[in-house]
Amino acid sequence: MSKTVFELVDQLPQDNMTVKALRALDFVVPGEWNNLVGFENTIRTVTGETDEELIQQIGERAIYLFNDKSEGYQRALWLYQTIDNADKALGSAALANKVAENVSFLSFLGNITPKAEKAQTIDLSLKLVTELLAFCQINGIPGDSIGDFAASLGDYGGESLMRMAALVCFDGLIPLGPDFILATQSWIQKLSPSDLQSNPSFNAIGGMIPGGSPAGQLGFIGESFNSVSGWMSSFVGDRGLTPQNVLGHLQNFVDISADKVDYVGAFLDMTTNYYEHTGVQTLARRLIERAVAEI
């Protein structure tokens, strides 16, 4: 990896478009997400420890575990980073640089086009598979452990729960509407292996997806999505989530016109990296928790 784990955590933004978008989802998972920035600060927050020597030992052990390539932490990070990067179209960096606090993006819409529904449903399902694969890497279990992952969602909290909330809201509800689960399942049933192979997100992470061939991987993707469809449906229903109320809370942080909702999903794809941001925080937490248990 080009950066150490402590550099990754130290360099997390305290306030940018990603952070603003995630803060807008606090109403979905109230109080769950704290934008923990800084490796030492994360150790202190996760452990409650104040002893400097022990904090140093925990940090050193966490760094050792991350650097051990027989563990899955670096592969999990690669997955989080890669799926976010695949979402970004050419010109996204230029757009992101223009986004300031509470700025309107309406003048930039000429450079943005919404994804076709097929592409959006593929990307949603691939982001879900990325979460499954990263979960398996972090926990040292086989990458096809769909049942273990689905069962674990009931225990998700903190930045991991926020990541799933963002997946449901930003990649499901906003671009695909209230029936995004059924729409995605329907599209997956109609997809061919060539549809997958022409998708940039699949090309980015396909080598990590079980199945042995694009046809087998398509089956794995469908099975993975179906395994969590009940959880997602309950998540939306229990919280009364709609595209409208998610958009309404986003409008508290970014100036978004209600008649431009079709573009919001594309805008968020281009200007946020919530998988990588919260993924780094998840990795730091898991590494610190394990380090504490082992020293």
Side-chain angles (χ1 to χ4, degrees):
M1 304 299 294
S2 59
K3 293 184 180 180
T4 63
V5 65
F6 63 84
E7 287 175 325
L8 289 164
V9 184
D10 282 348
Q11 293 171 14
L12 284 173
Q14 295 189 27
D15 187 29
N16 66 353
M17 188 61 213
T18 298
V19 174
K20 293 181 195 304
L22 292 175
R23 284 178 177 153
L25 295 185
D26 184 69
F27 84 103
V28 179
V29 284
E32 283 287 344
W33 183 65
N34 173 25
N35 186 32
L36 274 178
V37 175
F39 192 56
E40 183 176 329
N41 178 50
T42 302
I43 294 173
R44 292 177 182 275
T45 302
V46 169
T47 65
E49 190 54 63
T50 58
D51 183 273
E52 296 294 339
E53 185 176 344
L54 189 53
I55 289 170
Q56 179 75 15
Q57 291 175 3
I58 294 168
E60 289 173 355
R61 181 60 183 170
I63 291 167
Y64 174 84
L65 290 168
F66 180 79
N67 291 340
D68 184 351
K69 292 187 177 180
S70 69
E71 303 284 353
Y73 300 109
Q74 291 189 30
R75 291 186 291 277
L77 173 65
W78 179 86
L79 284 162
Y80 289 134
Q81 292 175 328
T82 302
I83 199 66
D84 261 337
N85 290 336
D87 257 351
K88 290 178 167 57
L90 288 176
S92 62
L95 175 64
N97 287 338
K98 294 180 181 179
V99 177
E101 194 165 335
N102 203 33
V103 71
S104 169
F105 70 87
L106 301 186
S107 60
F108 308 139
L109 288 180
N111 300 320
I112 302 176
T113 55
K115 290 179 188 171
E117 187 177 71
K118 179 169 76 171
Q120 186 66 56
T121 54
I122 293 174
D123 284 356
L124 169 61
S125 59
L126 288 174
K127 272 193 171 177
L128 188 279
V129 168
T130 296
E131 181 68 19
L132 185 161
L133 296 174
F135 168 85
C136 293
Q137 292 294 333
I138 291 169
N139 290 282
I141 58 179
D144 59 355
S145 302
I146 294 174
D148 289 335
F149 169 66
S152 76
L153 288 172
D155 298 322
Y156 261 37
E159 61 284 324
S160 295
L161 185 58
M162 177 57 86
R163 186 167 54 255
M164 289 300 294
L167 175 69
V168 167
C169 293
F170 296 159
D171 289 281
L173 282 167
I174 283 181
L176 292 169
D179 296 324
F180 74 94
I181 297 171
L182 291 175
T184 301
Q185 290 172 321
S186 176
W187 270 109
I188 291 174
Q189 290 174 356
K190 292 184 279 188
L191 292 176
S192 67
S194 62
D195 288 323
L196 274 187
Q197 291 172 302
S198 63
N199 181 273
S201 295
F202 176 79
N203 288 330
I205 68 164
M208 292 281 287
I209 299 176
S213 68
Q217 291 170 310
L218 183 55
F220 179 84
I221 291 166
E223 186 181 353
S224 299
F225 192 86
N226 288 339
S227 75
V228 301
S229 60
W231 180 88
M232 288 191 292
S233 179
S234 296
F235 187 86
V236 171
D238 292 347
R239 292 161 174 79
L241 299 179
T242 65
Q244 291 74 27
N245 61 23
V246 173
L247 182 62
H249 281 82
L250 267 174
Q251 288 173 318
N252 293 328
F253 293 81
V254 184
D255 185 5
I256 299 171
S257 174
D259 64 349
K260 302 297 184 182
V261 64
D262 289 346
Y263 297 88
V264 176
F267 173 74
L268 291 170
D269 280 347
M270 292 173 68
T271 59
T272 68
N273 64 331
Y274 74 84
Y275 249 63
E276 178 180 4
H277 188 104
T278 61
V280 168
Q281 291 173 329
T282 291
L283 282 168
R285 183 180 296 274
R286 297 294 172 264
L287 285 163
I288 290 164
E289 289 172 344
R290 181 172 168 186
V292 170
E294 292 184 359
I295 61 174

